[in-house]
Amino acid sequence: MSWPNVGRHPLGATAVGRNKAEALTERLQPDFPHLRIEAHATSLQGLLQDNLEILDQADLIISATGDWSTESLLNRWHIAGGRSIPIVYGWTEAHACAGHAVAIAGEGGCFQCHIGRTGVPSFKVVDWLEDGDEESQEEPACGAHYSPYGPVELSYITAMVGDLALQCLLTPPHRSFSRAFAASHDRIEGLGGRWSKQWTAEQATGGDVSGVRTLDRSWPRTGCSACKTQPGKS
């Protein structure tokens, strides 16, 4: 937990310098005593090596690391196990003007099918002019970096990811699909962005499409290098 996290994380300033998983567990467990909440202060590599049963026994896995090397490893583990349990991946675009939630199930594409070799998704909602897509900005004089959005902007995206996670628990999907969120046109335009051609082409027709909205999209198999190792899935 670092100072730039404070403005958009459930943990506050008292947790700065601590492991997020451990600090969040200590906060949540007293509030929900009927649950067993565990923290594992390790990387995914460490979890796969030392505590693999945690993932094997899960009903659902949610990955919100935003780190391609980690999520690529998780995807390959998922494929090797036959993709028997769903995984929900979630991430934001710049300025939290758009967000994505992807449910990877037994059929359809694996996560890598629509993610490039460097971790860049094949689909985005917003295009930015010049350096408008910079996730962090620098404060004048002091040189500190910050992300120009907070919990209000993030709340739309976290709610979407959470809703998709509940959907996958209550009605596990058989085929992979994605859900995308877009902020209002006025907010995107005010920050120097515009809807991408992909987003404009895939929006539902009819009605006023200038406001906040979400769109469900397919996530088909593309025959990427990762899912080629899992025969028999389409």
Side-chain angles (χ1 to χ4, degrees), residues 26-160:
E26 290 179 11
R27 175 174 173 176
L28 293 175
Q29 189 63 80
D31 291 337
F32 302 94
H34 58 294
L35 301 178
R36 186 181 72 182
I37 303 172
E38 298 179 350
H40 298 272
T42 184
S43 63
L44 177 63
Q45 292 89 335
L47 198 66
L48 292 174
Q49 181 176 345
D50 301 326
N51 293 286
L52 182 57
E53 67 278 1
I54 293 174
L55 297 181
D56 286 334
Q57 297 171 4
D59 296 310
L60 174 69
I61 296 171
I62 302 173
S63 178
T65 68
D67 178 74
W68 174 234
S69 62
T70 298
E71 293 185 326
S72 176
L73 177 63
L74 180 61
N75 181 59
R76 290 182 179 275
W77 168 84
H78 198 205
I79 291 170
R83 290 159 53 181
S84 57
I85 57 175
I87 296 182
V88 171
Y89 297 87
W91 69 93
T92 66
E93 293 189 24
H95 304 287
C97 279
H100 301 264
V102 178
I104 301 299
E107 299 178 4
C110 77
F111 188 55
Q112 188 173 321
C113 278
H114 298 278
I115 307 292
R117 295 179 62 184
T118 60
V120 178
S122 62
F123 178 86
K124 63 179 179 177
V125 174
V126 181
D127 287 328
W128 297 95
L129 303 177
E130 299 178 355
D131 296 328
D133 62 345
E134 292 290 337
E135 282 285 359
S136 62
Q137 297 183 7
E138 187 173 300
E139 295 180 5
C142 66
H145 287 78
Y146 68 97
S147 294
Y149 56 84
V152 173
E153 294 88 349
L154 280 174
S155 62
Y156 291 99
I157 300 169
T158 54
M160 178 184 68

